C-alpha cells in the first residue's frame, strides 16, 4: 500500500506539471495583450511606457523562459501579481475561494442527498415510475449545458415568477456578516444574524441546483447501475434463499457493496463542482474563483487566469487521488 501511495503521488505530480504546461501555453497563446488592455489609450501615445510595462511583467521574454520562471515561482508558492488588482494572485484567490467553496459544498451535498437515494430506489423498483423518473433526471442533468440551465433557472424563477432572489451572495442592500471563515452561512450563524443567514441561503438555492444537476445525474446513474449489478450476485440469492427480509438484504448486503464504485464518482463529483462553478458563478454574479478567472480572462490578466486555473486543477487532481485511495481501502479486491 505505501508503494502504491508513492506511485500515485508521483503520478499526481507529473499530471500537475503537465497541467501547468498546458494551462500556461493556452493562457499565453490566446488573442489579447494584457498591457494594451490595462493601459488603453496610453498605449498608443507612449511607446516607452508600454515597453516598461512589458519589461515589468516579463512579457518581453521568450515564452520558454517565462514558463521556467513561472514554474520556479510556483514551487515557492508564488502565483505572481495580478495586473488588474496589483495584488498577489494567491491573496486574491484566498478572498474569492470561500464563496466558491460554499457554493460547491452545498451543490455537492444536494447531489449526494438526492442522487444516492434516487439511484437506490430506481434499482430496487426497476421499471417502475421512480425508475423512469431517475433515468429522466439523470439524462437531463448530464446532458444540459451548465450555462444554459443557469440562464433558464434565473429567467424563470427570478425574472418570470419572481420567487427567487437575484444574482449575488446576498441582497445588494444587505451587509455581509462579520468575516470569520468567509462562508456567509457559517459566519452569519456564528454572529447570530439569522436574517442574513436566510438571505444567504435563499441566494444559494438556484446556483446550487444548477451546479448540482450534472453530478446529481452522474451519481444517480452510477448508484442505480451498481445496485443492479450487486443484486445479481450469488450472495444475494443465498440471502433470499435463507428467507431474509428484502429490506435487510438491500441495506445489509447489496448497498455496502454497491456504494464502493460510487466512491470514485463522489470524488470526481466534488472536483467537478469546483471546476463547474466557473460558468455558474459567471451567470449568477457569484463572487468566487470562477468569476475571478472569467473577469481576469476578459481583461487579459494572464497571471490571475493562470493562478486561479492551476489552483482549481491541483485541487481536482488531489480529490481524484484521494477517492482512488479510499476506493482501495473499501474494496480489498483492488489492492
Amino acid at each position: 500500500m505505501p508503494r502504491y501511495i508513492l506511485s500515485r503521488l508521483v503520478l499526481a505530480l507529473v499530471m500537475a506539471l503537465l497541467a501547468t504546461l498546458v494551462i500556461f501555453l493556452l493562457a499565453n497563446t490566446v488573442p489579447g495583450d494584457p498591457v494594451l488592455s490595462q493601459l488603453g489609450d496610453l498605449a498608443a501615445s507612449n511607446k516607452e511606457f508600454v515597453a516598461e510595462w512589458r519589461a515589468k511583467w516579463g512579457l518581453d521574454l521568450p515564452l520558454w523562459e517565462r514558463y521556467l520562471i513561472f514554474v520556479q515561482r510556483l514551487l515557492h508558492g508564488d502565483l505572481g501579481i495580478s495586473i488588474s488588482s496589483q495584488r498577489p494572485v494567491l491573496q486574491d484567490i484566498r478572498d474569492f475561494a470561500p464563496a466558491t467553496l460554499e457554493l460547491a459544498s452545498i451543490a455537492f451535498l444536494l447531489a449526494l442527498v438526492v442522487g444516492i437515494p434516487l439511484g437506490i430506489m430506481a434499482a430496487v423498483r426497476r421499471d417502475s415510475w421512480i425508475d423512469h423518473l431517475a433515468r429522466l433526471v439523470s439524462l437531463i442533468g448530464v446532458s444540459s449545458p451548465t450555462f444554459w440551465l443557469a440562464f433558464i433557472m434565473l429567467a424563470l424563477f427570478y425574472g418570470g415568477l419572481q420567487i427567487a432572489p437575484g444574482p449575488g451572495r446576498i441582497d445588494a442592500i444587505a451587509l455581509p456578516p462579520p468575516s470569520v471563515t468567509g462562508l456567509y452561512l457559517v459566519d452569519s450563524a456564528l454572529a447570530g444574524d439569522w436574517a442574513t443567514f436566510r438571505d444567504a441561503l435563499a441566494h444559494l438555492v438556484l446556483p446550487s441546483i444548477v451546479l448540482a444537476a450534472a453530478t446529481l445525474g452522474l451519481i444517480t446513474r452510477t448508484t442505480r447501475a451498481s445496485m443492479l449489478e450487486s443484486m445479481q450476485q450469488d450472495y444475494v440469492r443465498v440471502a433470499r434463499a435463507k428467507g431474509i427480509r428484502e429490506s435487510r438484504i438491500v441495506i445489509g448486503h447489496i448497498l455496502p457493496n454497491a456504494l464502493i464504485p460510487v466512491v470514485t464518482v463522489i470524488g470526481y463529483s466534488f472536483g467537478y463542482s469546483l471546476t463547474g462553478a466557473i460558468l455558474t458563478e459567471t451567470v449568477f454574479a457569484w463572487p468566487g474563483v470562477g468569476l475571478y478567472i472569467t473577469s481576469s480572462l476578459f481583461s487579459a490578466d494572464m497571471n490571475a487566469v493562470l493562478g486561479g486555473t492551476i489552483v482549481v486543477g491541483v485541487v481536482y487532481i488531489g480529490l481524484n487521488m484521494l477517492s482512488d485511495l479510499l476506493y482501495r481501502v473499501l474494496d480489498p479486491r483492488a489492492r
Side-chain angles (χ1 to χ4, degrees):
M1 192 68 175
R3 182 180 298 177
Y4 176 78
I5 295 176
L6 180 61
S7 65
R8 295 300 296 177
L9 286 174
V10 172
L11 180 60
L13 290 175
V14 173
M15 291 177 62
L17 182 61
L18 290 176
T20 61
L21 178 59
V22 173
I23 295 170
F24 183 85
L25 291 177
L26 288 176
N28 285 275
T29 53
V30 296
D33 191 327
V35 175
L36 299 180
S37 176
Q38 296 297 320
L39 296 181
D41 295 336
L42 291 175
S45 59
N46 196 332
K47 301 298 183 181
E48 294 181 357
F49 190 46
V50 172
E52 291 178 3
W53 262 65
R54 292 191 184 280
K56 176 183 177 181
W57 298 106
L59 298 175
D60 57 338
L61 299 175
L63 189 61
W64 65 268
E65 188 173 350
R66 285 156 56 189
Y67 175 69
L68 292 180
I69 294 174
F70 171 74
V71 173
Q72 183 180 8
R73 290 177 177 175
L74 188 63
L75 293 176
H76 290 85
D78 183 7
L79 296 178
I81 305 296
S82 170
I83 299 178
S84 300
S85 66
Q86 299 291 311
R87 300 196 312 167
V89 174
L90 191 58
Q91 185 177 346
D92 284 344
I93 292 175
R94 285 173 183 165
D95 293 339
F96 286 97
T100 299
L101 181 61
E102 186 172 47
L103 175 60
S105 299
I106 296 298
F108 176 68
L109 291 176
L110 179 62
L112 285 183
V113 170
V114 177
I116 292 179
L118 188 60
I120 293 172
M121 290 186 292
V124 172
R125 302 189 178 184
R126 187 176 184 179
D127 294 329
S128 65
W129 68 269
I130 190 69
D131 186 21
H132 294 304
L133 176 63
R135 283 187 281 184
L136 179 62
V137 169
S138 300
L139 179 63
I140 294 175
V142 173
S143 60
S144 298
T146 301
F147 67 90
W148 175 85
L149 187 60
F151 278 120
I152 293 297
M153 295 285 284
L154 195 60
L156 178 61
F157 293 102
Y158 170 64
L161 300 177
Q162 297 183 353
I163 59 175
R169 297 184 74 181
I170 54 175
D171 289 336
I173 60 174
L175 294 176
S179 181
V180 179
T181 63
L183 309 175
Y184 279 9
L185 292 181
V186 176
D187 291 347
S188 58
L190 291 176
D193 188 356
W194 301 112
T196 303
F197 180 88
R198 289 190 294 269
D199 187 18
L201 185 61
H203 280 79
L204 272 166
V205 173
L206 287 185
S208 60
I209 290 176
V210 170
L211 189 56
T215 55
L216 170 62
L218 182 62
I219 290 175
T220 301
R221 187 169 60 183
T222 305
T223 304
R224 178 184 179 274
S226 184
M227 285 285 294
L228 290 175
E229 182 180 357
S230 297
M231 291 170 67
Q232 305 299 322
Q233 301 300 316
D234 292 337
Y235 61 83
V236 177
R237 299 190 186 97
V238 172
R240 285 172 176 162
K242 290 181 178 179
I244 300 177
R245 287 181 303 176
E246 189 67 21
S247 59
R248 286 191 60 189
I249 295 175
V250 172
I251 297 175
H253 295 76
I254 300 175
L255 185 58
N257 292 280
L259 287 181
I260 292 177
V262 182
V263 171
T264 305
V265 178
I266 290 176
Y268 165 81
S269 299
F270 189 69
Y272 178 82
S273 297
L274 292 174
T275 56
I278 294 177
L279 293 175
T280 306
E281 289 178 1
T282 303
V283 176
F284 286 95
W286 195 266
V289 177
L291 186 61
Y292 173 69
I293 295 174
T294 305
S295 59
S296 301
L297 186 61
F298 288 148
S299 61
D301 188 355
M302 290 305 133
N303 285 343
V305 173
L306 277 170
T309 308
I310 285 173
V311 167
V312 173
V314 168
V315 172
Y316 187 83
I317 292 173
L319 288 173
N320 276 274
M321 187 183 72
L322 182 61
S323 64
D324 190 23
L325 294 175
L326 185 58
Y327 179 87
R328 291 176 64 88
V329 172
L330 294 177
D331 190 356
R333 297 171 298 179
R335 298 173 191 170

